Amino acid sequence: MTDTARDADSFDYVIVGAGAAGSVLANRLTEDPGVTVCVLEAGPPDRNPFIHIPAGFIKTLHDPAITWQFRTEPTENTAGRRIATVQGRTLGGSSSINGMIYNRGQPADLDSWAQRGNRGWSYADCLPYYRRSENRIGLCDETRRGRQVDGIPITDMDWIHPISEAFIAGCVALGIPRNPDYNSGDQVGVGYFQRAIRNGRRVSAARAFLRPALSRPNIEVRTNARAAAILFEGRRAVGVRYLHARGVPAREVRARREVILSAGTVNTARLLQVSGVGPAPLLQRLGVGVVHALAGVGENFRDHYASRFVVRARPGVPTLNELSRGLRLGVEILRWGLRRPSILATAPSHVHVFWKSFEGLDAPDLQCVFTPGSYAEGKVYVLDDYPGMTAGAWQHRPESVGWVRARSTDVFEDPEIQPNYLSHPMDRRVHLAGMRLVRRLLSTPQLAPYVERETLPGPKAQSDDELLDFARRNGSTTYHLIGTARMGPATDPTAVVDDRLLVHGMEGLRVVDASIMPSMPSANTYATTLMIAEKAADLIRGRQPLAPAEAEPADAASTA
């Protein structure tokens, strides 16, 4: 990594964050040899070996050396609990610690963004950028999927368990069709997840996009560089002040063209606020001079909230719990080393179900996940000591809205994170329907030969009140944080960026990450974050946008 800028601490673009969006931007912007880019990453390089072993997510998720160990504020809807809301803090960001699922969502998600006044953000406009960011390996409709050599490799599940097949068969018997490609524009149905795994290894955004860019002379990546403030001249962003450690003198890097925030939904909002861009009352409480009063910064925060059921498997059924111990684990390690199907090369969620909470809906409003392994009560993604299986559900588009607010200007102090899970009555209604659907899916005759009994929440939880009590005491985040720098026209008082992702009322300041999403996609957020960065790169470079795709059919849920 070398710097060809005229000044050692001056670049054309400074990108804050080397996560999914920042990695894509760094690659696409440095394709132009006439510009220079500096990327600031708060965490270390992605050398931890568990990052690159798919099953290593169990280790990385709880490792503070490479994660932000954020926690939400307690409410009565989480039974007074503070919920761990971990985000990646290393090269690749959350793409280095996530569940590796590639899930675009429904066409209507993006059409609703365009209907809010965001020009160029319909599904037809964005589909070419989804395609540009992926290298789909396997059968697909190539008018809707991408086979870009320099994209994220997206593969099919190759470790197939008989319990998963029985679960899918049970879903089909209940009238849920098997869907060979839920990313085709037709989401409804059941099948195996597609993942960002190739040859048994995780392929993070850093591996797919950032690492190839590092061979160019016009990029510099600075790790362990925690952004402390955006530097302004008037309302123009001109650089970033950052710290390598608490108590160490701050350093500055200047941006001749733009400062681009790709720090993630929590840190982007916090950085704007501590730099003087945000709700005036909050800035005053922080003792920060108001550069620009922008009420929406940190607001519109949303996340998916999931409740998971666990059933105990009958004796002799080799679930993930047994395969991850003793001699069986040794066999799986050997298979992984030989690049054969292995539990070490699987994502935490194996099977998807996209379905409706109530008959009569036009499209799925629920996502269910299934894994042939049981997780310990109260411990996210920690396998239990008995054989079992786990299934959970969450609402696609929650109505509950929260916020992210800096507590102080100390960037080593975590901000206040309040998702307000289940605060909206509709969310509670849909969540209950999802829980009842999961219980039905775990009770089919096709799965019965493998099931001994339900352990969580257990047969005593039957009424709405009992199930909601379980959800409040045991539900958790799915780590899909969005919305704190919402995209929208200047007439929208909650909007933070315009449809070019430029911060309203500012110059030389852009946001490119999941925080700009106006509403929650009916999916995990990783694929859409990659798409946003691909589209943003063209906006920043002043390039003609990719031609919109031909009209896509509506989600086929209504035909199911």
Side-chain angles (χ1 to χ4, degrees):
M1 293 175 286
T2 60
D3 170 27
T4 60
R6 288 187 294 273
D7 181 85
D9 284 302
S10 180
F11 299 80
D12 291 308
Y13 299 100
V14 175
I15 301 172
V16 180
S23 293
V24 172
L25 285 173
N27 185 300
R28 302 311 188 200
L29 294 182
T30 56
E31 288 174 343
D32 180 352
V35 304
T36 56
V37 173
C38 179
V39 183
L40 301 178
E41 168 53 46
D46 56 341
R47 298 193 186 106
N48 186 314
F50 289 115
I51 289 175
H52 310 294
I53 303 171
F57 75 93
I58 294 175
K59 300 286 188 180
T60 61
L61 196 62
H62 304 285
D63 185 351
I66 56 173
T67 58
W68 301 95
Q69 293 287 318
F70 295 132
R71 298 176 71 83
T72 65
E73 295 300 301
T75 71
E76 62 179 15
N77 284 308
T78 59
R81 294 180 299 134
R82 291 166 59 87
I83 296 174
T85 309
V86 178
Q87 301 288 282
R89 188 172 63 84
T90 183
L91 296 182
S94 291
S95 76
S96 290
I97 66 158
N98 67 7
M100 295 154 283
I101 299 302
Y102 186 82
N103 184 2
R104 292 178 179 176
Q106 300 169 14
D109 298 333
L110 296 173
D111 287 340
S112 73
W113 293 8
Q115 290 160 6
R116 293 173 181 268
N118 296 303
R119 298 161 298 177
W121 288 91
S122 71
Y123 181 73
D125 292 316
C126 295
L127 179 56
Y129 290 102
Y130 278 115
R131 296 183 70 244
R132 192 168 79 180
S133 68
E134 73 164 332
N135 180 13
R136 172 68 176 131
I137 300 170
L139 296 175
C140 67
D141 179 343
E142 297 195 22
T143 66
R144 303 179 189 181
R145 305 301 302 273
R147 292 193 188 274
Q148 307 301 314
V149 174
D150 61 349
I152 289 279
I154 305 301
T155 60
D156 294 310
M157 181 75 69
D158 60 0
W159 188 83
I160 306 300
H161 196 285
I163 291 179
S164 297
E165 285 291 295
F167 178 82
I168 291 173
C171 291
V172 172
L174 290 174
I176 300 173
R178 189 154 185 166
N179 188 339
D181 187 1
Y182 59 91
N183 285 313
S184 67
D186 173 7
Q187 188 189 64
V188 66
V190 60
Y192 290 103
F193 275 113
Q194 297 167 20
R195 349 47 73 80
I197 299 173
R198 189 173 191 180
N199 295 327
R201 270 70 173 173
R202 174 198 293 271
V203 184
S204 68
R207 291 278 158 159
F209 297 104
L210 185 59
R211 174 171 283 189
L214 296 182
S215 64
R216 300 168 185 156
N218 55 339
I219 182 172
E220 181 174 329
V221 176
R222 301 180 182 181
T223 53
N224 297 305
R226 189 177 300 220
I230 305 164
L231 305 175
F232 293 105
E233 291 178 359
R235 288 195 177 182
R236 180 172 186 81
V238 296
V240 177
R241 181 180 300 117
Y242 65 96
L243 299 165
H244 282 301
R246 186 189 291 275
V248 173
R251 297 185 62 185
E252 294 182 359
V253 59
R254 293 276 167 163
R256 291 189 291 271
R257 297 189 186 183
E258 288 187 13
V259 172
I260 305 168
L261 305 187
S262 298
T265 293
V266 172
N267 282 315
T268 285
R270 172 172 62 176
L271 182 57
L272 285 168
Q273 291 165 357
V274 300
S275 302
V277 180
L282 173 62
L283 303 186
Q284 291 165 1
R285 288 199 301 273
L286 295 172
V288 174
V290 178
V291 175
H292 181 41
L294 201 55
V297 175
E299 304 302 305
N300 190 47
F301 176 57
R302 299 171 195 256
D303 184 21
H304 287 136
Y305 186 77
S307 291
R308 293 174 172 84
F309 283 51
V310 178
V311 297
R312 187 172 189 128
R314 294 183 184 275
V317 177
T319 65
L320 292 177
N321 306 74
E322 290 81 17
L323 294 173
S324 64
R325 299 186 179 94
L327 290 177
R328 284 176 167 171
L329 176 58
V331 172
E332 294 297 324
I333 293 172
L334 178 61
R335 291 177 62 85
W336 180 78
L338 295 173
R339 297 189 176 182
R340 302 280 301 279
S342 164
I343 65 169
L344 271 70
T346 62
S349 299
H350 291 205
V351 178
H352 67 79
V353 180
F354 298 110
W355 202 237
K356 296 170 281 188
S357 59
F358 302 98
E359 292 185 11
L361 293 178
D362 292 334
D365 63 340
L366 288 171
Q367 177 169 331
C368 303
V369 296
F370 174 83
T371 301
S374 59
Y375 295 111
E377 182 176 2
K379 297 179 181 179
V380 178
Y381 295 130
V382 175
L383 289 170
D384 214 328
D385 57 3
Y386 63 83
M389 55 203 85
T390 304
W394 58 84
Q395 179 186 10
H396 269 337
R397 304 184 190 97
E399 300 289 340
S400 300
V401 182
W403 60 79
V404 171
R405 296 169 185 165
R407 299 179 191 274
S408 74
T409 57
D410 181 358
V411 294
F412 291 91
E413 181 178 4
D414 289 347
E416 178 182 305
I417 302 173
Q418 179 53 276
N420 282 321
Y421 295 125
L422 300 180
S423 61
H424 196 283
M426 178 57 74
D427 292 2
R428 295 193 292 274
R429 182 181 178 214
V430 175
H431 198 83
L432 274 170
M435 296 172 77
R436 294 196 181 280
L437 173 61
V438 166
R439 185 170 263 168
R440 285 180 65 203
L441 300 182
L442 290 173
S443 303
T444 64
Q446 291 75 14
L447 197 60
Y450 299 99
V451 175
E452 182 177 285
R453 59 185 172 85
E454 180 185 296
T455 57
L456 281 178
K460 291 184 178 180
Q462 296 294 332
S463 70
D464 287 356
D465 287 344
E466 290 165 342
L467 287 173
L468 272 178
D469 181 67
F470 172 75
R472 292 181 176 114
R473 295 179 183 279
N474 293 272
S476 66
T477 174
T478 59
Y479 312 101
H480 302 159
L481 316 183
I482 67 110
T484 56
R486 181 180 194 161
M487 176 172 58
T491 52
D492 179 352
T494 68
V496 175
V497 301
D498 64 17
D499 51 27
R500 295 181 57 80
L501 308 188
L502 292 164
V503 176
H504 285 299
M506 306 299 295
E507 296 178 18
L509 183 60
R510 205 179 300 250
V511 178
V512 183
D513 59 25
S515 69
I516 67 97
M517 296 184 188
S519 58
M520 178 69 80
S522 51
N524 311 54
T525 53
Y526 181 34
T528 297
T529 301
L530 294 172
M531 177 278 292
I532 288 169
E534 290 279 15
K535 185 171 174 62
D538 279 359
L539 291 171
I540 294 167
R541 297 177 68 179
R543 302 176 73 179
Q544 189 72 17
L546 298 179
E550 293 183 6
E552 291 282 318
D555 191 288
S558 59
T559 67

